[in-house]
Amino acid sequence: QGSDHKATGQAGAIPQVDYGLSDFNQKYVYKASGIYELPFGKQKRFLNGGNWFENQLGGWRISGFMTVEAGMPFNVAGNDTSNTGGGIQMRANESCNPNSGPKTFAQYFNTSCFTQPAANTFANERRNDIFGPRNTNVDFSAFKEFPIFDTLKFQFRTDAFSALNHPVPQQPQNTLSGATLGQITGWGGARTLQLSAKILW
């Protein structure tokens, strides 16, 4: 946290309005990971009969990595009507708590809280007082090592990034004069698959 003043800030505005969260501030970031060897194949609990097919099932390991991140802070951008010269990034006038919004894709924050500042005035919205949507992501891997000679091994693995393939919402639209104010119009989170091979020694 901190004032984090910028050249494009509301120059001349009330100082405490420009005091707020930094652009990269997140309330929380949770990460969890794990690895597990499947109980199949030789000397394992299941499918341990010793035939060729069952032996191929042995030695496979799976791993997962989950990340849960809070949304990034931002504010609503208004039109510069202050008549103080160029280089001003004007915010909007704020009359209520925008984070009380419905949190839907069509309206993520309470857009009725914002109006355009009057001519020759500065806005009263504090910097970065709105929090964007949370981001949850899971990566998954499956791999097995095949002995070649002594300590030399061949590893085959497959990785699935954004394995759940669910939409990850980007920041809501924050331009006061735009028709899509408060809407989430951008998405990420598409699953990506990767196959790889390694020689280990």
Side-chain angles (χ1 to χ4, degrees), residues 26-124:
Q26 284 182 294
K27 285 186 175 182
Y28 59 83
V29 177
Y30 299 133
K31 296 185 178 182
S33 62
I35 185 170
Y36 176 70
E37 184 171 351
L38 298 179
F40 305 125
K42 187 177 180 180
Q43 297 181 342
K44 300 298 182 181
R45 183 176 181 182
F46 304 107
L47 300 176
N48 53 13
N51 62 59
W52 180 88
F53 175 75
E54 292 178 346
N55 286 338
Q56 302 315 303
L57 294 176
W60 281 97
R61 286 178 284 178
I62 58 175
S63 64
F65 189 88
M66 183 179 70
T67 303
V68 181
E69 299 177 318
M72 304 297 286
F74 65 99
N75 44 254
V76 170
N79 296 325
D80 179 20
T81 57
S82 63
N83 291 325
T84 56
I88 305 299
Q89 185 184 36
M90 181 65 73
R91 294 192 286 272
N93 272 340
E94 186 179 86
S95 59
C96 58
N97 179 13
N99 292 294
S100 63
K103 298 293 191 296
T104 64
F105 300 146
Q107 185 183 355
Y108 189 79
F109 58 88
N110 191 347
T111 58
S112 65
C113 293
F114 298 101
T115 56
Q116 176 64 41
N120 304 316
T121 64
F122 290 98
N124 66 355

Side-chain angles (χ1 to χ4, degrees), residues 12 16-17 22 25-26 56 73 100 104 141 144:
Q16 57 265 32
V17 175
S22 298
N25 182 279
Q26 284 182 294
Q56 302 315 303
S100 63
T104 64
S141 299
K144 179 179 179 178

Side-chain angles (χ1 to χ4, degrees), residues 60-61 63 140-144 156-161 193-196:
W60 281 97
R61 286 178 284 178
S63 64
F140 176 83
S141 299
F143 55 97
K144 179 179 179 178
F156 173 79
R157 65 182 297 131
T158 178
D159 301 290
F161 304 102
L193 298 178
Q194 173 181 282
L195 301 178
S196 59

Side-chain angles (χ1 to χ4, degrees), residues 138-166:
V138 175
D139 297 329
F140 176 83
S141 299
F143 55 97
K144 179 179 179 178
E145 295 175 358
F146 301 86
I148 299 176
F149 176 75
D150 198 11
T151 60
L152 191 65
K153 297 178 181 179
F154 169 78
Q155 183 189 87
F156 173 79
R157 65 182 297 131
T158 178
D159 301 290
F161 304 102
S162 296
L164 300 180
N165 200 37
H166 65 79

Side-chain angles (χ1 to χ4, degrees), residues 182-197:
Q183 298 180 19
I184 295 177
T185 58
W187 307 90
R191 182 189 299 121
T192 302
L193 298 178
Q194 173 181 282
L195 301 178
S196 59

